Amino acid sequence: MRTLVCTQPGNFEYLDGITPELKQSHAILKIRRVGICGTDLHAFEGTQPFFEYPRILGHELAAELVEFDNAPGFSVGEPVTIIPYFYCGTCIACRSGKPNCCTRIKVCGVHQDGGMVDYLAVPSYSLVHGQGLSFDELALVEPLAIGAHAVRRAGITPGEYVLVVGAGPIGLGTMQLARIAGAKVIALDVNDHRLNFCREKLGITHVINALKDNVNEALMTITGGDMPTVVMDATGNLKAINNAFSYMAHGARYVLIGLQKEAISFSHPEFHKREATLMSSRNATTADFEHVIDSMKKGLIDPKTYITHRVALEQVKDTFESWLDPSNGVIKAMVSMD
């Protein structure tokens, strides 16, 4: 079968792979779509933590169910997506209902080979019913679920000002899920194209360009002097993460969605006097996937809005590097495996 392997930073190779055989409590998927995530881009750049090469990328997946064992309620041939965070089921996180941060987690396409293949074997527990969504829509459930999980972690209440730093795909999804939760959303980025996308496609009223605007002054004006009660970083950029500590209202919550390799730093007195809360948000859970699918079915989210670039698997090697260039306007690149 076809496989596309990231052999080392900056290099892909098309290689022949062995079609997987069915194992106990596993399923075989025919991959139909693969969404390209920031994790994939960072892996190609060589800046992704917890990563080893060679690796087959791809965890935002839509597929056709070919065969399975121990997956009651599923049918051969039905469209599915997966929750790509494979967990042990026995560690403290799993026993606490948090398999998304399992101590021995294996993320598909990160810690083990992912979906840039014709056929993929996955644990049966990871399957998610398509519920009538298209393959394009199903491939976008996972990145949107990342935002849904972060919003749930933040405990957003209606009417709060929520600042989302970073208007990439994860940040955009976070904005939409925050708005569904009733937030008054503020978008912060350095890219006018993406900020325009926030305005025109997502209807975000308040947008700030960190390179052109005085961010603190703009936030004070928007919030009537209070500052945001929730700040959410979706950049994974060290400078952006550190700067955002100054954007919090007193009593605010700061949620780190983005991930980078270095140590963050902030003023303890400033953080302390705010009685602020700092938390991370990792991956997503079944409840988050279900919330996203329900929101799609209700028309609260139009996932196709995100797809700006579309290629066949055979085009990925020659095209992938261009998606790193902000001037190309990539929001979400979608790979067709048909």
Side-chain angles (χ1 to χ4, degrees), residues 131 133 289-300:
Q131 298 189 42
L133 299 181
F289 275 70
E290 291 174 347
H291 179 44
V292 168
I293 290 173
D294 183 63
S295 296
M296 287 183 180
K297 292 171 67 177
K298 289 178 177 176
L300 301 174

Side-chain angles (χ1 to χ4, degrees), residues 127-151:
L127 296 173
V128 178
H129 290 288
Q131 298 189 42
L133 299 181
S134 69
F135 287 123
D136 282 348
E137 290 169 329
L138 286 173
L140 287 161
V141 172
E142 191 273 343
L144 290 166
I146 298 291
H149 186 70
V151 166

Side-chain angles (χ1 to χ4, degrees), residues 155-166:
I156 292 170
T157 56
E160 283 193 279
Y161 279 105
V162 174
L163 172 65
V164 179
V165 186

Side-chain angles (χ1 to χ4, degrees), residues 236-258:
N237 176 278
L238 183 61
K239 182 179 179 181
I241 290 170
N242 288 341
N243 285 345
F245 281 93
S246 70
Y247 305 152
M248 292 188 293
H250 282 237
R253 292 95 73 202
Y254 186 8
V255 184
L256 299 179
I257 310 170

